[in-house]
Amino acid sequence: MWGICFDSKLFQCVVEYETCTDSTTVNIVYPVKGLLIAADKIRKLENPPQFFNGELVSPVNHPEIVGVIREIGWHFNNQDYMYFITVNGRKRSKRYYNKDLIKQ
């Protein structure tokens, strides 16, 4: 399952998680493995992100630029995933959305 984490360790980070047998905790499996967090610190998301950390992408309007997804966040007003990329080892500060990127 996918969700937004509100625990201080991964605050507002998009995570993939599994519910533990006691139903009060979840086990984070993405982007960090083996981290246990209280289940009430996760807000469930209906669909997984379109892109994942480490994946090669290009902006739709600049297909000659190739970057790597370095972080996935959630835009609360737009109710959409937002991605941050690294190009040639340099972090870009621009937020990209699903419609703004294509896979390489």
Side-chain angles (χ1 to χ4, degrees):
M1 291 186 281
W2 289 88
I4 306 162
C5 183
F6 291 102
D7 186 84
S8 61
K9 296 175 188 105
L10 293 171
F11 188 68
Q12 292 188 355
C13 186
V14 171
V15 296
E16 183 178 12
Y17 65 95
E18 300 168 339
T19 305
C20 295
T21 54
D22 65 5
S23 298
T24 61
T25 58
V26 298
N27 181 30
I28 304 296
V29 294
Y30 179 86
V32 179
K33 283 190 173 198
L35 184 62
L36 294 175
I37 293 179
D40 63 349
K41 298 288 186 183
I42 300 287
R43 179 176 152 207
K44 186 178 178 183
L45 295 173
E46 295 301 317
N47 299 311
Q50 187 174 337
F51 306 101
F52 299 98
N53 285 3
E55 198 166 7
L56 292 176
V57 294
S58 291
V60 172
N61 59 345
H62 291 286
E64 71 280 2
I65 297 172
V66 177
V68 177
I69 300 287
R70 67 176 163 87
E71 186 180 338
I72 305 170
W74 183 255
H75 195 288
F76 288 92
N77 287 340
N78 294 348
Q79 295 293 296
D80 197 7
Y81 289 100
M82 59 184 175
Y83 305 92
F84 298 92
I85 66 172
T86 300
V87 177
N88 295 328
R90 303 183 86 181
K91 293 179 180 180
R92 288 239 168 144
S93 60
K94 179 174 175 36
R95 295 183 288 207
Y96 295 93
Y97 299 96
N98 287 329
K99 63 181 176 44
D100 300 328
L101 295 172
I102 52 175
K103 290 183 183 184
Q104 288 300 304

